[in-house]
Amino acid sequence: MKKILSICRRDFTSYFNSPIAYIVIAIFLFIAGNIFWMAYSNFGNTYRMYSQYPWAKEDLTLAQMVFRPFFMILSNILLFMIPIITMKLVSEEKKLGTFEFLFTSPVTIPHIIFGKFLAAASFVIIMLLTTAVYPLLLAIYGKPDLKMIASGYLGLLVLSLAFIALGLFASSLTENQIIAAIISFSILMLFWVINWGSRNIQNPKIADILNYLSIPDHFVDFTKGVIDTQHIFFFLSIIALGLFLTGIVIQSQRWR
Amino acid sequence: MIQIENLTKYYGLLKAVDNVTFTVSKGEVVGFLGPNAAGKTTTLRIITGYFPPTTGKVRIGDYDVMDKPIEAKKMIGYMPENPPLYTDMTVKSFLTFAAKIRSIPRKIRKESIEKAIELSGLTNHVKFIIGHLSKGYKQRVALAQALLHDPEILILDEPTAGLDAKERMDLLNMIHEFIGKKTVVLSTHILADVEKVCNRVIIIHKGSIVAEGSYEMLSSSVTENDRFALTVLRNDDEVEQELRLIDGIINITRNQDNPKRFTVESIKDLAVKEKVAKVLVEKNYGLIELSPSRLPLEEIFIELTKQ
């Protein structure tokens, strides 16, 4: 465990040795702030227009009108940001040759993989936590449904972890960071759009499989405040798969 | 301390190491010699557990590198060729990281890092970013990292490459100090390094060991003949003629800088040496030196790696 944390800490601090971390955080905060502001002002206008109708009352809440779209769009941004965060994790070690240093030290491949996974996870968690200002701000002036917001954040967390695991895998495939980012973005994009055509597929079994593999379908319930173990299981499976494949790739490269 | 049995490594179809077997005992400093692309680095990488061999076994102390990699790796300090270093870290933070993953207890961590920094002459460079250091200093960081956990075994792959003359001397002196204390395998193609510090040499060529042993043994494996050096004070031309008359003398070469110094190659027979001494003394040429000499390592090396 100590070794995992040491590797995690090294990789985490190394984010801040290059400008990429600052650029990613700055862009993320800028976009997140913008979305929040737009969702909030949109909510204000809609509320003024429709609040007198009793049938609209139920949907006119902060959680429904502000945070649901906020979380949905954040998940889209993470789709672009996480490949940039994960791209260098393994590929840079390969390029610098520092794998030779790691593999000849008394650490195992799981130590390395979990360390790197945790490093990227910590980075993303910090990024997500910075957006917690918005619900806190609203909690001061209003009464947002905090449980629903917490559920949304849990959704973003498992989604991000799954993205990181897949990004880590992509990073292990190449020593070029840019190529790693492109591969991981392609994988994430594939999972994102995988069921877009499923309505036109005649075979219901294939359509079901495609629907099951769709990441947004599993994410959307979290934004509604529904924490379903089935969805958590799905994301945990993706994480396990990503980490497992990374391990296989790294191990097999040593045998070659 | 290090036991290697029938090590073979293929890269795809290319056979990099071919059935290599050798042992290194505790406290020995062994030179691992070979021309470029002989399989030195591959062998060392297998010993250090960087990658597994295609077939064969490596034992480090009591542990098999494949079965107990963690225990084996703890005993080894490895300085790879062209040191792979995290170029964005400072010297200090890199060494701290290395200390942590080598599980050096917190209590002695600071102490070990400082000691390694001092030994490798990095005292004034601890706060530098590794990427900004010159090649020689990067080598030192790699060395510090290898010495960090005070390992019983040191594996140094071309450690003197890129060092200036003084740095090289310092490093070799340090390795010399290790004789009897640590087990050292020093890979190089610079023969002078090996001659200075190693008590045994293993020569590897095209993936196989072509010779192994002390210089004397190596020298006799290349040539059956005896070699000795002699110096006279007078009449060196006459001396050469006299020597050529003696039976059993095969070759006489004169030192280029000092024509009064000869290197004589003769058949392996003490009577020849006796006769040489007798002739030179009787004729009063002023014999002031008669000493056994061996083939210079270069010649052994070139002879063994000819094919």
Side-chain angles (χ1 to χ4, degrees):
Chain A
M1 194 64 201
K2 267 188 188 165
K3 288 175 187 167
I4 294 179
L5 288 180
S6 308
I7 291 172
C8 168
R9 206 172 139 193
R10 196 213 77 77
D11 274 277
F12 182 75
T13 46
S14 116
Y15 276 127
F16 296 94
N17 291 340
S18 82
I20 286 184
Y22 301 100
I23 294 171
V24 167
I25 289 182
I27 294 177
F28 180 78
L29 284 181
F30 177 75
I31 298 178
N34 241 313
I35 297 164
F36 179 76
W37 180 77
M38 286 192 290
Y40 184 72
S41 48
N42 184 36
F43 169 71
N45 292 336
T46 323
Y47 192 84
R48 251 172 270 128
M49 275 195 263
Y50 294 103
S51 56
Q52 66 266 41
Y53 304 109
W55 50 265
K57 222 34 209 212
E58 199 175 307
D59 284 332
L60 283 176
T61 63
L62 284 169
Q64 280 289 347
M65 291 286 297
V66 179
F67 284 101
R68 263 193 77 183
F70 179 65
F71 288 135
M72 279 317 287
I73 298 175
L74 275 195
S75 70
N76 275 293
I77 300 168
L78 290 172
L79 182 75
F80 291 92
M81 293 289 187
I82 286 181
I84 298 170
I85 295 166
T86 54
M87 66 183 183
K88 74 168 191 168
L89 285 174
V90 183
S91 58
E92 195 181 37
E93 302 263 1
K94 280 192 188 174
K95 185 145 206 171
L96 290 175
T98 39
F99 257 152
E100 186 165 9
F101 164 75
L102 281 183
F103 284 147
T104 54
S105 297
V107 290
T108 61
I109 290 178
H111 284 147
I112 298 171
I113 291 174
F114 282 117
K116 290 185 173 298
F117 177 72
L118 284 182
S122 320
F123 188 86
V124 174
I125 288 170
I126 289 175
M127 245 167 56
L128 291 177
L129 279 181
T130 55
T131 65
V133 188
Y134 310 130
L136 288 179
L137 214 62
L138 290 191
I140 296 172
Y141 298 108
K143 278 201 180 105
D145 182 353
L146 287 177
K147 274 184 198 155
M148 198 164 152
I149 292 170
S151 153
Y153 271 109
L154 179 69
L156 282 180
L157 175 70
V158 288
L159 178 94
S160 307
L161 294 183
F163 283 2
I164 291 169
L166 293 173
L168 188 63
F169 164 64
S171 179
S172 72
L173 294 172
T174 166
E175 48 179 66
N176 184 319
Q177 295 191 22
I178 306 299
I179 293 176
I182 293 170
I183 294 174
S184 63
F185 179 66
S186 310
I187 296 174
L188 298 185
M189 207 58 205
L190 179 73
F191 274 106
W192 201 261
V193 303
I194 199 161
N195 68 337
W196 281 14
S198 66
R199 266 184 223 160
N200 305 324
I201 292 176
Q202 303 295 327
N203 189 333
K205 271 190 185 156
I206 293 178
D208 279 353
I209 292 173
L210 293 183
N211 283 329
Y212 181 74
L213 288 176
S214 161
I215 284 182
D217 282 21
H218 286 278
F219 174 68
V220 75
D221 274 356
F222 286 101
T223 66
K224 294 176 188 160
V226 180
I227 299 175
D228 190 336
T229 46
Q230 179 211 327
H231 298 320
I232 292 186
F233 178 77
F234 171 79
F235 284 114
L236 289 182
S237 313
I238 298 263
I239 295 169
L241 179 76
L243 298 184
F244 176 72
L245 289 177
T246 313
I248 300 244
V249 171
I250 294 178
Q251 181 68 278
S252 76
Q253 280 162 351
R254 286 179 76 201
W255 279 94
R256 239 174 272 151
Chain B
M1 208 63 184
I2 305 174
Q3 262 180 297
I4 289 157
E5 271 171 47
N6 308 100
L7 210 65
T8 301
K9 172 78 185 175
Y10 281 92
Y11 292 117
L13 287 173
L14 181 80
K15 202 184 227 179
V17 175
D18 183 8
N19 206 20
V20 162
T21 301
F22 66 88
T23 58
V24 181
S25 20
K26 203 175 168 158
E28 236 185 334
V29 174
V30 171
F32 201 54
L33 275 178
N36 288 323
K40 294 181 303 255
T41 300
T42 306
T43 311
L44 297 187
R45 284 179 165 176
I46 295 169
I47 297 175
T48 52
Y50 178 41
F51 47 57
T54 311
T55 57
K57 271 193 169 163
V58 179
R59 280 183 78 78
I60 302 292
D62 299 328
Y63 306 107
D64 188 305
V65 172
M66 295 303 296
D67 299 340
K68 298 256 181 218
I70 300 287
E71 286 80 354
K73 286 171 188 176
K74 271 186 187 164
M75 297 173 67
I76 301 179
Y78 174 42
M79 176 177 171
E81 190 185 6
N82 304 322
L85 300 164
Y86 295 102
T87 43
D88 60 346
M89 297 176 94
T90 64
V91 173
K92 185 80 179 260
S93 59
F94 171 66
L95 291 177
T96 310
F97 170 61
K100 280 185 191 160
I101 59 171
R102 303 260 164 77
S103 6
I104 297 175
R106 184 181 283 271
K107 267 186 259 166
I108 57 163
R109 193 185 295 155
K110 211 177 156 203
E111 204 178 305
S112 330
I113 294 171
E114 267 161 23
K115 206 175 149 198
I117 285 173
E118 202 191 308
L119 269 175
S120 35
L122 282 166
T123 318
N124 297 324
H125 292 76
V126 283
K127 286 188 178 155
F128 279 56
I129 287 169
I130 293 174
H132 297 171
L133 293 174
S134 68
K135 168 110 166 102
Y137 274 91
K138 281 183 188 154
Q139 295 275 96
R140 290 178 188 220
V141 178
L143 178 69
Q145 161 274 124
L147 294 170
L148 204 53
H149 48 309
D150 196 19
E152 287 183 65
I153 298 171
L154 263 182
I155 306 235
L156 310 171
D157 195 356
E158 311 240 349
T160 53
L163 298 186
D164 66 33
K166 178 165 186 308
E167 289 170 336
R168 196 175 135 249
M169 280 309 296
D170 289 346
L171 178 65
L172 292 175
N173 285 337
M174 185 168 80
I175 296 170
H176 196 77
E177 296 268 298
F178 289 148
I179 292 179
K181 294 173 204 151
K182 288 190 195 304
T183 310
V184 182
V185 178
L186 170 75
S187 135
T188 181
H189 56 245
I190 303 167
L191 300 155
D193 293 352
V194 175
E195 231 161 344
K196 270 205 184 78
V197 295
C198 300
N199 29 29
R200 195 154 67 89
V201 183
I202 294 168
I203 296 181
I204 183 169
H205 181 50
K206 289 187 177 164
S208 337
I209 292 180
V210 287
E212 184 186 350
S214 61
Y215 297 124
E216 283 71 24
M217 285 167 67
L218 286 184
S219 158
S220 60
S221 75
V222 173
T223 163
E224 303 250 292
N225 303 327
D226 230 357
R227 289 167 68 96
F228 53 90
L230 60 87
T231 312
V232 293
L233 287 176
R234 296 178 283 277
N235 310 23
D236 39 291
D237 294 327
E238 215 174 296
V239 168
E240 189 172 343
Q241 282 164 17
E242 286 285 345
L243 288 175
R244 290 202 188 278
L245 292 176
I246 299 169
D247 274 346
I249 296 230
I250 295 159
N251 194 13
I252 299 166
T253 45
R254 283 164 76 161
N255 193 316
Q256 280 174 351
D257 303 328
N258 176 10
K260 292 188 165 58
R261 191 165 200 268
F262 298 82
T263 305
V264 182
E265 198 178 342
S266 72
I267 56 165
K268 227 182 181 82
D269 187 358
L270 287 176
V272 179
K273 263 189 216 172
E274 191 190 349
K275 189 142 187 218
V276 169
K278 205 172 155 190
V279 168
L280 295 176
V281 171
E282 272 175 0
K283 301 251 169 162
N284 200 19
Y285 290 132
L287 177 67
I288 53 169
E289 185 209 350
L290 181 63
S291 60
S293 91
R294 53 174 194 229
L295 266 182
L297 194 53
E298 276 86 356
E299 274 180 44
I300 301 175
F301 184 74
I302 289 164
E303 188 64 34
L304 287 169
T305 56
K306 237 186 211 164
Q307 310 85 28

